[in-house]
Amino acid sequence: EIVLTQSPATLSLSPGERATLSCRASQRISSYLAWYQQKPGQAPRLLIYDASNRATGIPARFSGSGSGTDYTLTVSSLEPEDFAVYYCQQRSNWPITFGQGTRLEIK
Amino acid sequence: QVQLQQSGPGLVQPSQTLSLTCAISGDSVASNSATWTWIRQSPSRGLEWLGRTYYRSKWYNDYAVSVKSRITINPDTSKNQFSLQLNSVTPEDTAVYYCARDLTGQNYFDYWGQGTLVTVSS
């Protein structure tokens, strides 16, 4: 089973700042990685798939990058609604697995 | 617009069966491209993929090894929905359960149900 390790566990930033979230896989996953945003009491929302493709309706301030085992989600300029928990998910190998999440909180 | 509406009890007794249903609007459970999945989330286990059903000229199911002996996911084409049954539940099965759609069979989930908190307790 591929283990996804997200860092940091919590990121404290202010609106307007740039956020960089990391996801490291225990083995190479060939860019088969997605990012989700989850707000309290809501289901996860797909942001990015195949490491760098924005899902339908996702603002351009969200971008993904990476290859091999190391992947990054960047939010270029934080809006108030971006403060949430973010999860990565791999589909390279069965079973599908998720990271433990990074909480993005308002500083 | 795709919508997934979950229903089912929020409390299940230990050793009993957890049963949830996900009603689909805006798509078809018999789609030849989408797959229909159950995922759960708990503080101890995080997000955990449980299994899926999909139609490609016939019906297929895939299940997580961790629950394979206890899980059944069934499509219901007459009602355009799919269901989850998890047998012999224990308190470790307490979680928020989500149904979700994978549009292209590539195992990314673009639409989710609202979630159902299921507590296993006597």
Side-chain angles (χ1 to χ4, degrees), chain A residues 1-2 4-5 14 35 43-44 49 63 71 83 87 98 105:
Chain A
E1 174 175 314
I2 293 178
L4 299 177
T5 302
S14 300
W35 290 94
Y49 64 94
S63 63
Y71 298 86
F83 292 92
Y87 295 94
F98 293 83
E105 65 177 25

Side-chain angles (χ1 to χ4, degrees), chain A residues 31-34 36 38 41-44 46 49-50 87 89 91 94 96 98, chain B residues 39 41 47-49 52 62 64 98 105-110 112-115:
Chain A
S31 296
Y32 293 135
L33 186 97
Y36 297 84
Q38 187 177 33
Q42 297 183 15
L46 179 65
Y49 64 94
D50 286 344
Y87 295 94
Q89 174 237 318
R91 70 168 188 95
W94 287 101
I96 294 163
F98 293 83
Chain B
I39 293 165
Q41 184 175 30
L47 286 159
E48 181 183 14
W49 180 90
R52 65 179 181 175
D62 296 307
Y98 294 101
Q106 292 188 322
N107 296 314
Y108 298 131
F109 309 106
D110 62 344
W112 296 62
Q114 79 275 22

Side-chain angles (χ1 to χ4, degrees), chain B:
Chain B
Q1 178 75 354
V2 175
Q3 290 190 325
L4 304 178
Q5 182 66 41
Q6 299 177 217
S7 60
L11 180 64
V12 181
Q13 294 198 341
S15 79
Q16 299 302 301
T17 298
L18 180 160
S19 296
L20 296 174
T21 298
C22 183
I24 303 162
S25 58
D27 201 345
S28 170
V29 71
S31 164
N32 274 296
S33 60
T35 68
W36 305 95
T37 296
W38 287 96
I39 293 165
R40 67 182 178 183
Q41 184 175 30
S42 65
S44 59
R45 302 170 77 102
L47 286 159
E48 181 183 14
W49 180 90
L50 297 177
R52 65 179 181 175
T53 190
Y54 59 100
Y55 185 76
R56 301 289 186 269
S57 302
K58 68 175 185 177
W59 288 101
Y60 293 88
N61 291 101
D62 296 307
Y63 299 128
V65 170
S66 61
V67 295
K68 192 169 186 176
S69 63
R70 302 191 290 131
I71 191 173
T72 303
I73 296 176
N74 282 324
D76 182 343
T77 56
S78 66
K79 296 181 179 179
N80 201 30
Q81 63 187 30
F82 62 110
S83 63
L84 167 69
Q85 287 194 312
L86 188 64
N87 302 325
S88 305
V89 296
T90 72
E92 289 192 350
D93 293 311
T94 294
V96 177
Y97 286 76
Y98 294 101
C99 59
R101 183 188 82 164
D102 163 16
L103 174 61
T104 60
Q106 292 188 322
N107 296 314
Y108 298 131
F109 309 106
D110 62 344
Y111 282 95
W112 296 62
Q114 79 275 22
T116 301
L117 173 59
V118 178
T119 301
V120 179
S121 175
S122 55

